[in-house]
Amino acid sequence: MLVDFNDLPEISRVWIYQANRSFSLEELEEIKQKLDTFLTQWTAHGADLKAGYDIKYKRFITIGLDQGVNAASGCSIDASVHFILELEQEYKVDLMDKMNVSFKQGEFVAYKTLADFKKMAKNKAVSPNTIVFNNLVTNIAEYRTNWEVPAKESWHNRFLN
């Protein structure tokens, strides 16, 4: 059951997928249609899942699920991963690699391997105040308050010393 992401409770679970490049406006429209279709049909053991999505900076796809209605099962999580893998193939983009870091450089979002981010931190090319995207947040409340934060307030902080 597709709902507006902003109508989901704060405790709703989130999964964040960051792309290794920005999507074009045309791609974003297509992806939104595919998300609408997928989330409308997404179920756990035949029960509808109350879910929505948010797309930010033309590169982050966040799926939110109200687990108070029905919780995700292993099969439903597998279905969502399969859906994301299909997007990867169709748009020739990486959405599943968790070993990459996205951060702001002025108005732009940069995407680097973790090794490159560590080098940048060592060389002071990123600072404790660099805005990073903490894709480890687990619910909408954290997504709204702890997803886009200074590196010093995220797990990225360990690379800044």
Side-chain angles (χ1 to χ4, degrees):
M1 161 186 359
L2 175 64
V3 298
D4 187 294
F5 186 85
N6 293 317
D7 292 339
L8 290 168
E10 296 281 296
I11 59 170
S12 296
R13 185 171 176 183
V14 294
W15 292 270
I16 301 170
Y17 302 97
Q18 71 180 0
N20 60 335
R21 65 168 177 84
S22 294
F23 291 109
S24 70
L25 293 178
E26 181 180 308
E27 287 174 327
L28 284 171
E29 285 309 308
E30 292 173 7
I31 290 168
K32 287 176 186 177
Q33 289 174 359
K34 291 176 189 304
L35 280 160
D36 287 350
T37 301
F38 173 74
L39 294 178
T40 298
Q41 300 169 356
W42 198 24
T43 61
H45 302 295
D48 282 345
L49 294 175
K50 184 178 178 185
Y53 64 89
D54 192 25
I55 299 177
K56 299 253 186 170
Y57 301 107
K58 299 185 204 171
R59 74 166 58 217
F60 296 94
I61 299 171
T62 302
I63 296 176
L65 172 66
D66 181 352
Q67 298 206 110
V69 174
N70 286 307
S73 65
C75 292
S76 60
I77 292 171
D78 286 350
S80 67
V81 169
H82 182 74
F83 170 76
I84 294 297
L85 290 171
E86 286 177 352
L87 291 180
E88 279 190 330
Q89 282 190 316
E90 184 169 349
Y91 296 100
K92 311 248 185 300
V93 65
D94 183 0
L95 292 164
M96 298 292 289
D97 191 339
K98 304 295 185 203
M99 294 307 296
N100 294 309
V101 177
S102 290
F103 57 96
K104 285 189 173 176
Q105 285 188 313
E107 293 178 33
F108 301 99
V109 174
Y111 178 91
K112 299 288 184 191
T113 65
L114 192 54
D116 285 346
F117 183 81
K118 287 179 187 179
K119 287 179 195 165
M120 290 178 76
K122 185 178 180 184
N123 295 332
K124 307 287 188 221
V126 293
S127 76
N129 293 319
T130 298
I131 300 299
V132 295
F133 297 92
N134 177 11
N135 297 324
L136 301 179
V137 298
T138 59
N139 63 47
I140 288 180
E142 290 178 356
Y143 175 68
R144 290 192 172 125
T145 59
N146 295 321
W147 174 60
E148 197 173 327
V149 294
K152 65 186 173 196
E153 295 174 23
S154 177
W155 63 268
H156 303 82
N157 188 39
R158 71 184 88 172
F159 306 120
L160 301 173
N161 301 325

